[in-house]
Amino acid sequence: MRASVDIVKVWRQFDHHPMETLTKAWHISQGAPGRQRTVQMMEEHRRQFGTSGNCFDLALWLMHEFGKNGIESYPIGHHLHTPRAHVAVIAVGERGQTYFCDLGDQWIEPILIDASCEDFTQDELDGFVTGGRIKAELPAGRNEAKFTYIRPNGKISEQTFSLEPIEMNEFIAAANTSQSLLRYPLVEMRFTEHNEVRHWEFDRWNSFVSCSEGLIRESKLEMEETGEWARRIHQRTGMHTDVIIRALNTYVAVMPGAAVENGTD
């Protein structure tokens, strides 16, 4: 079920890229339009500020790198043009086999989703997602993939993706919608600790680690403590603290009843 060496080699270039919705808030706070950045701009922002991007950024960036390495790829997704939008990438192997690549949800590595391959299985598998196992299913007669996440505590969640390629014009239009939408700050980051790949997440002003032991919650900080949050996020991602603070203050400002921390720009 694991991808070929050439696909994994490109994937590994993003091992230290968090999925985050901070960069778009920081970009908007500087007067930039809420639109999808080019790969060149994303690369420059990463060199200067250690930033990465949301699922649209990472999908576009990953496809660009696949293209540079002669690997065919295309975007897929669900709930486009809504707050629930999410996109991933399909990479095509040398023999035409297809692999699901989801940097937005910080998968550990791509997974085979081609029922015509003898290696494809619908068993529960370790090593693809953090803090649990994954089961990939391809329902007969439907061009879609269903993923079931099985956590150590027995909790089960599901996600379904249409495998129909998104036209690039539509992808960019949906990306522009996403980049203009500020709901709440979110950061997800894979890291290795205690001989396993773990998942750190900052979501709705809480932070926690998902691992084989379950969910480990970190100490609580208030929403307005953007300076302290910035230090915590910087330690996990390497993003510049001034960028993080400006982004968090932008989110605080658009949330009802919240005051922006003064003197942090």
Side-chain angles (χ1 to χ4, degrees):
M1 293 286 279
R2 288 185 161 83
S4 54
V5 173
D6 56 341
I7 290 174
V8 172
K9 183 178 179 180
V10 174
W11 172 270
R12 291 290 173 229
Q13 296 177 28
F14 294 86
D15 276 354
H16 302 291
H17 289 54
M19 191 296 299
E20 44 88 4
T21 65
L22 303 183
T23 299
K24 66 176 178 179
W26 165 73
H27 207 216
I28 289 172
S29 75
Q30 298 184 104
R35 298 181 63 81
Q36 178 59 50
R37 294 174 295 155
T38 64
V39 171
Q40 182 180 10
M41 184 178 291
M42 288 188 283
E43 290 174 336
E44 183 60 28
H45 286 162
R46 181 148 186 87
R47 282 191 294 269
Q48 290 185 343
F49 310 111
T51 57
S52 182
N54 68 4
C55 65
F56 283 93
D57 292 314
L58 293 170
L60 185 63
W61 204 341
L62 180 61
M63 288 188 290
H64 174 79
E65 293 300 321
F66 277 144
K68 284 170 56 177
N69 287 271
I71 299 169
E72 179 187 351
S73 65
Y74 53 87
I76 60 171
H78 56 73
H79 295 95
L80 302 185
H81 300 285
T82 77
R84 297 175 60 196
H86 185 66
V87 292
V89 172
I90 297 295
V92 182
E94 292 182 350
R95 300 187 304 278
Q97 68 275 39
T98 51
Y99 298 93
F100 176 80
C101 310
D102 192 350
L103 287 171
D105 274 346
Q106 291 285 288
W107 279 54
I108 297 173
E109 60 180 84
I111 191 170
L112 179 70
I113 51 163
D114 192 332
S116 67
C117 293
E118 61 180 18
D119 291 331
F120 180 77
T121 178
Q122 297 187 145
D123 294 342
E124 298 174 5
L125 302 172
D126 293 308
F128 288 96
V129 297
T130 54
R133 291 168 292 155
I134 193 74
K135 179 179 180 180
E137 299 175 89
L138 300 173
R142 293 173 7 203
N143 190 24
E144 63 184 32
K146 176 185 174 183
F147 298 107
T148 303
Y149 302 79
I150 303 98
R151 305 302 178 190
N153 61 1
K155 180 181 178 181
I156 293 176
S157 58
E158 297 177 347
Q159 189 175 39
T160 300
F161 271 88
S162 168
L163 297 179
E164 189 69 27
I166 303 172
E167 294 290 339
M168 282 308 298
N169 286 343
E170 172 64 6
F171 175 86
I172 295 300
N176 288 337
T177 299
S178 177
Q179 303 298 359
S180 67
L181 181 63
L182 298 181
R183 296 175 63 213
Y184 53 84
L186 176 65
V187 182
E188 299 182 31
M189 184 75 182
R190 284 175 288 138
F191 68 99
T192 302
E193 187 177 71
H194 302 306
N195 296 318
E196 71 168 324
V197 180
R198 298 184 165 194
H199 185 116
W200 181 82
E201 188 166 342
F202 163 67
D203 182 13
R204 292 177 174 85
W205 311 98
N206 292 283
S207 61
F208 46 88
V209 172
S210 299
C211 61
S212 59
E213 302 169 19
L215 199 65
I216 303 172
R217 297 190 179 277
E218 296 183 329
S219 59
K220 177 71 176 176
L221 293 171
E222 296 303 321
M223 182 171 62
E224 292 84 0
E225 295 181 81
T226 52
E228 291 301 315
W229 275 121
R231 280 183 278 277
R232 185 175 294 185
I233 293 168
H234 167 75
Q235 288 175 350
R236 290 292 187 177
T237 67
M239 292 174 62
H240 288 204
T241 53
D242 54 346
V243 170
I244 300 171
I245 290 172
R246 185 156 188 162
L248 293 179
N249 281 339
T250 300
Y251 276 109
V252 171
V254 300
M255 299 181 75
V260 178
E261 179 177 326
N262 295 320
T264 55
D265 286 345

